[in-house]
C-alpha cells in the first residue's frame, strides 16, 4: 500500500477545502510542507515577514470569499503572526494559520523554539487546535475552514509538531469524507422586515450606512437596488465604499457629520457601531435616533446601543426582502424633502472647501492636490490599497470607488503595516480573476516603513503594484528640512527630535534600483501624473512613486474630533 506523510496529508486536506493561496516564510519544521503545498496545486507565496503574510492571506480571503492560508515556523514565527491573526479576527476576514512547532518528544525539556502555541493563538482566533494523529488532520482542517467562514468570518489556527509532519502512514488510513462544506444562509424573520420598512417609511431624516460586511456578503446588487429605488441617502464606511458607487447621486459622504448627527432613523447594513461609527451615541448622533440593525452575527445586535429593529440575517436575503417590502408600499423618499435640501447644502459647502485645497498645487504639495490629480490619471475602477493616518483618511474622501471590495485599508483594528501585504493579495487576485485590473497602493511614508521590503516579494512574483508614497517626513507630520538639520546638529538628537519625525524627504523610490528598476521622485503635480502614466505601462513588477508633500500638510478642519470619546 502506498505511503503518505503528514506534509502531504495536510496539503491535500487544505486543497480539498478549497484553499488556493498560502503565504508564509519557510524554516524548520515546515520547509517540506511548503513544497507539498505546491505539489498539491496550491499557490505558495514566500513573504519577507510573517505579519505581512497574514495580512495578504486575510485580504485574499476577503476578495475571494475563500480563506487564505498562512504558513509560519515555530515559536517566533507564530508570535510574529499574532498581529495578523488579531487583525483578521477584528476585521472579520477568513484566514487559516498553519504553524509548525517543535517535535512532541522535545516538549518540556527546552526544545528548539518550544512554545505553547495552541494556547498562545487562542485569544486571536475562532478555533485553535493540534491534530493528535495523521488520520485526524483532514477533520481538523475541515473544521478550521468551516469556522473561519461560517457566521462572522475570522482567523483559525492549526498546530503541527515536526514529528507529526514527518510521520508516515498508508494512504488507506486517511479518511476521504471531509469535503468542503457549503456556507449556510441565514434568512430574516418576515415580521422584522416589515417593522424595518414601516420605520423607514415614517422617518423624516432617514440614513443608510453601508459597511464592509455588505461587500463581503456580495450584497451590492440588493443594496444598490434599495438606494436607487427609494432615494434614501447613504454613507459608506471606509471599506464599504463601492458597494454603491461613490459617484451615486444618493451618496452624502461629504455631509457625513451632519447626516450622523441629525438622522432620525439609521439603517445599518453590515457595519458595527464601534469607533468607526462613533459607537452610535451622542454627540455624534441624535439622542433619539432609531437604529435598524442587520447583521449575520446575533451577538452584534443591540451592541453599544439598543436597536429599534434588530435582524439577524445574511444581508443578501434581508436587503432583498426589505426592497420588496418597500416596493409593495410604493415608498420613495422625496428628493425635495427638507432633509435632502439640508444634506445637499452641506455637501456643496464641503465640496467647495475641498476643491480649494485640490486646486492649490503650490509646492510643497498638500494631500488633497495629490489625491485629486492622482485620481485624474488612474484607470477605471482600480483596487485601491490605502494605509497611513492622513493618507488613508483623506484618500478615502478624494479617491473614488465604483465597485465593492476595491478599497483595502487599516480597517477596524486600525493596523499599520497592512498595506503591502494587502496589495500583494490584490495583485494575485487580479492576475487570476481580473487580469486587466490594476492595484494602486497609496502609502504614508511612516506606513510604508512597516513592510517596505515586501517590494522584493512583488518583484519576485512579477506583481505590477503601483506604490504611491505620500511623503510628509513623519508620523502625522514631520519637520522642514532646515529645522530637521538644525536638530541633527544639536548633539542630543534623541532628546530634541520630535517623536513623530522621520528623516526628511527620504528617496524611497531608490529602493527600486536594488532590483535594476527605476522609481519616481515627484515634487510637482506634473511629475506625479507623468510618473503614474509611466508606471501603468509596467506589467512585470512593482513601481514606487515617491511624492514629497509639505511636512505640515493636514486634513480640512473637522466638525468633530475624528475619534469621539465614549461617554460612560
Amino acid at each position: 500500500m502506498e505511503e503518505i506523510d503528514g506534509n502531504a496529508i495536510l496539503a491535500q486536506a487544505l486543497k480539498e477545502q478549497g484553499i488556493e493561496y498560502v503565504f508564509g516564510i519557510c524554516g524548520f519544521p515546515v520547509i517540506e510542507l511548503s513544497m507539498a503545498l505546491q505539489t498539491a496545486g496550491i499557490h505558495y507565496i514566500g513573504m519577507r515577514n510573517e505579519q505581512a503574510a497574514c495580512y495578504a492571506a486575510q485580504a485574499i480571503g476577503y476578495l475571494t470569499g475563500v480563506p487564505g492560508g498562512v504558513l509560519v515556523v515555530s515559536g517566533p514565527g507564530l508570535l510574529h503572526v499574532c498581529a495578523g491573526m488579531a487583525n483578521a479576527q477584528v476585521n472579520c476576514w477568513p484566514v487559516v494559520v498553519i504553524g509548525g512547532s517543535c517535535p512532541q518528544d522535545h516538549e518540556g525539556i527546552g526544545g528548539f523554539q518550544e512554545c505553547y502555541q495552541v494556547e498562545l493563538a487562542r485569544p486571536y482566533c475562532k478555533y485553535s487546535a493540534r491534530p493528535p494523529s495523521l488520520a485526524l488532520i483532514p477533520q481538523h482542517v475541515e473544521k478550521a475552514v468551516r469556522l473561519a467562514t461560517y457566521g462572522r468570518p475570522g482567523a483559525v489556527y492549526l498546530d503541527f509538531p515536526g514529528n507529526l509532519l514527518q510521520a508516515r502512514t498508508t494512504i488507506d488510513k486517511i479518511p476521504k469524507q471531509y469535503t468542503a462544506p457549503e456556507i449556510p444562509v441565514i434568512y430574516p424573520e418576515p415580521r422584522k422586515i416589515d417593522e424595518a420598512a414601516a420605520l423607514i417609511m415614517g422617518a423624516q431624516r432617514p440614513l443608510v450606512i453601508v459597511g464592509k460586511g455588505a461587500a463581503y456578503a456580495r450584497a451590492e446588487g440588493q443594496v444598490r437596488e434599495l438606494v436607487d429605488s427609494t432615494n434614501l441617502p447613504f454613507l459608506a464606511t471606509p471599506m464599504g465604499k463601492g458597494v454603491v458607487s461613490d459617484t451615486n447621486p444618493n451618496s452624502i459622504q461629504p455631509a457625513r457629520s451632519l447626516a450622523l448627527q441629525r438622522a432620525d432613523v439609521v439603517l445599518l447594513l453590515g457595519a458595527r457601531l464601534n469607533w468607526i461609527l462613533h459607537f452610535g451615541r451622542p454627540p455624534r448622533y441624535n439622542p433619539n435616533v432609531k437604529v435598524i440593525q442587520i447583521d449575520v452575527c446575533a451577538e452584534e445586535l443591540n451592541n453599544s446601543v439598543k436597536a429599534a429593529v434588530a435582524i439577524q440575517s445574511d444581508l443578501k436575503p434581508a436587503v432583498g426582502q426589505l426592497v420588496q417590502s418597500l416596493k409593495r408600499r410604493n415608498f420613495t423618499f422625496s428628493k425635495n424633502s427638507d432633509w435632502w435640501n439640508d444634506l445637499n447644502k452641506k455637501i456643496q459647502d464641503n465640496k467647495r472647501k475641498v476643491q480649494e485645497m485640490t486646486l492649490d498645487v503650490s509646492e510643497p504639495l498638500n494631500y488633497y492636490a495629490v489625491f485629486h490629480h492622482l485620481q485624474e490619471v488612474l484607470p477605471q475602477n482600480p483596487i485601491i490599497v490605502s494605509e497611513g493616518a492622513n493618507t488613508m483618511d483623506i484618500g478615502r474622501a478624494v479617491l473614488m470607488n465604483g465597485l465593492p471590495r476595491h478599497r483595502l485599508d487599516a480597517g477596524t483594528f486600525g493596523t499599520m503595516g497592512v498595506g503591502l501585504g494587502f496589495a500583494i493579495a490584490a495583485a494575485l487576485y487580479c492576475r487570476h480573476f481580473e487580469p486587466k485590473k490594476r492595484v494602486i497602493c497609496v502609502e504614508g511614508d511612516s506606513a510604508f516603513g512597516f513592510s517596505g521590503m515586501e517590494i522584493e516579494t512583488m518583484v519576485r512574483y512579477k506583481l505590477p503594484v503601483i506604490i504611491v508614497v505620500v511623503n510628509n517626513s513623519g508620523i502625522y507630520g514631520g519637520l522642514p528640512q532646515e529645522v530637521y538639520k538644525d536638530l541633527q546638529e544639536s548633539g542630543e538628537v534623541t532628546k530634541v527630535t520630535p517623536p513623530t519625525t522621520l528623516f526628511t524627504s527620504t528617496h524611497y523610490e531608490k529602493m527600486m534600483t536594488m532590483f535594476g528598476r527605476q522609481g519616481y521622485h515627484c515634487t510637482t503635480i506634473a511629475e506625479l501624473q507623468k510618473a503614474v502614466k509611466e508606471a501603468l505601462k509596467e506589467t512585470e513588477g512593482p513601481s514606487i512613486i515617491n511624492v514629497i508633500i509639505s511636512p505640515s500638510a493636514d486634513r480640512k478642519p473637522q466638525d468633530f474630533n475624528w475619534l469621539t470619546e465614549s461617554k460612560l
Side-chain angles (χ1 to χ4, degrees), residues 371-443:
F371 292 140
H372 172 75
H373 292 90
L374 173 62
Q375 177 78 58
E376 287 184 335
V377 291
L378 290 181
Q380 187 175 18
N381 292 318
I383 294 180
I384 298 174
V385 179
S386 187
E387 182 182 18
N390 290 336
T391 298
M392 182 173 65
D393 294 339
I394 298 171
R396 174 177 63 124
V398 182
L399 297 174
M400 296 291 101
N401 290 103
L403 296 174
R405 300 171 296 281
H406 278 57
R407 177 183 161 98
L408 306 173
D409 68 24
T412 310
F413 212 30
T415 308
M416 291 296 100
V418 298
L420 272 65
F422 283 2
I424 287 168
L428 289 166
Y429 170 84
C430 291
R431 173 178 289 173
H432 295 113
F433 297 100
E434 297 188 64
K436 294 183 179 180
K437 190 173 291 293
R438 297 304 299 266
V439 177
I440 314 297
C441 182
V442 185
E443 298 273 303

Side-chain angles (χ1 to χ4, degrees), residues 204-399:
Q204 298 297 309
R205 298 180 302 278
L207 175 66
V208 178
I209 299 179
V210 182
K212 72 172 177 290
Y216 182 80
R218 273 64 176 168
E220 55 266 21
Q222 290 76 12
V223 177
R224 289 177 181 182
E225 186 177 8
L226 171 70
V227 170
D228 292 339
S229 65
T230 62
N231 282 330
L232 289 171
F234 79 92
L235 285 172
T237 65
M239 278 188 280
K241 280 164 59 69
V243 172
V244 183
S245 174
D246 287 339
T247 60
N248 186 290
N250 286 21
S251 173
I252 53 152
Q253 207 73 35
R256 184 180 192 270
S257 293
L258 176 70
L260 294 179
Q261 193 176 27
R262 295 192 55 203
D264 60 355
V265 172
V266 169
L267 174 60
L268 200 63
L269 303 179
R272 292 171 280 175
L273 292 175
N274 54 23
W275 68 272
I276 291 177
L277 290 176
H278 315 290
F279 314 108
R281 300 176 181 178
R284 295 301 295 263
Y285 287 76
N286 179 344
N288 299 313
V289 67
K290 294 179 173 62
V291 176
I292 303 166
Q293 195 175 10
I294 304 177
D295 202 288
V296 72
C297 178
E299 290 81 355
E300 187 60 39
L301 300 175
N302 300 302
N303 195 30
S304 185
V305 299
K306 181 173 176 56
V309 182
I311 304 171
Q312 184 193 12
S313 174
D314 280 272
L315 277 178
K316 267 190 174 183
V319 179
Q321 290 182 27
L322 181 58
V323 169
Q324 296 308 312
S325 181
L326 291 170
K327 281 184 175 181
R328 286 195 300 270
R329 294 165 169 81
N330 297 314
F331 171 74
T332 303
F333 191 69
S334 173
K335 278 293 187 84
N336 295 319
S337 65
D338 290 342
W339 183 225
W340 262 118
N341 290 335
D342 291 344
L343 290 170
N344 285 327
K345 181 179 178 182
K346 187 65 173 178
I347 288 169
Q348 295 307 314
D349 182 46
N350 280 340
K351 280 185 174 181
R352 280 193 297 269
K353 294 176 182 177
V354 170
Q355 188 176 32
E356 290 175 6
M357 290 181 280
T358 62
L359 297 178
D360 177 9
V361 295
S362 60
E363 302 169 33
L365 298 168
N366 70 75
Y367 287 103
Y368 293 88
V370 168
F371 292 140
H372 172 75
H373 292 90
L374 173 62
Q375 177 78 58
E376 287 184 335
V377 291
L378 290 181
Q380 187 175 18
N381 292 318
I383 294 180
I384 298 174
V385 179
S386 187
E387 182 182 18
N390 290 336
T391 298
M392 182 173 65
D393 294 339
I394 298 171
R396 174 177 63 124
V398 182
L399 297 174

Side-chain angles (χ1 to χ4, degrees), residues 12-21 42 66-67 145 180:
Q12 291 175 15
L14 290 167
K15 182 68 174 179
E16 287 168 1
Q17 297 305 317
I19 305 297
E20 294 290 340
Y21 300 90
I42 293 173
V66 178
V145 173

Side-chain angles (χ1 to χ4, degrees), residues 150-222:
Y150 274 30
R152 174 182 285 176
V156 294
Y157 174 69
L158 292 176
D159 190 68
F160 292 91
N163 62 298
L164 185 66
L165 293 174
Q166 296 163 13
R168 302 183 69 83
T169 187
T170 53
I171 200 165
D172 63 311
K173 294 182 179 178
I174 305 303
K176 303 292 185 185
Q177 72 267 31
Y178 297 107
T179 56
E182 183 177 343
I183 299 174
V185 177
I186 301 174
Y187 286 83
E189 294 181 54
R191 174 178 61 85
K192 294 280 190 179
I193 293 295
D194 288 340
E195 289 178 10
L199 198 57
I200 291 169
M201 291 179 66
Q204 298 297 309
R205 298 180 302 278
L207 175 66
V208 178
I209 299 179
V210 182
K212 72 172 177 290
Y216 182 80
R218 273 64 176 168
E220 55 266 21
Q222 290 76 12

Side-chain angles (χ1 to χ4, degrees), residues 5-15 33 98 137 141 160 165:
D5 69 3
N7 293 303
I9 295 168
L10 174 55
Q12 291 175 15
L14 290 167
K15 182 68 174 179
L33 176 55
I98 306 294
I137 288 176
V141 170
F160 292 91
L165 293 174

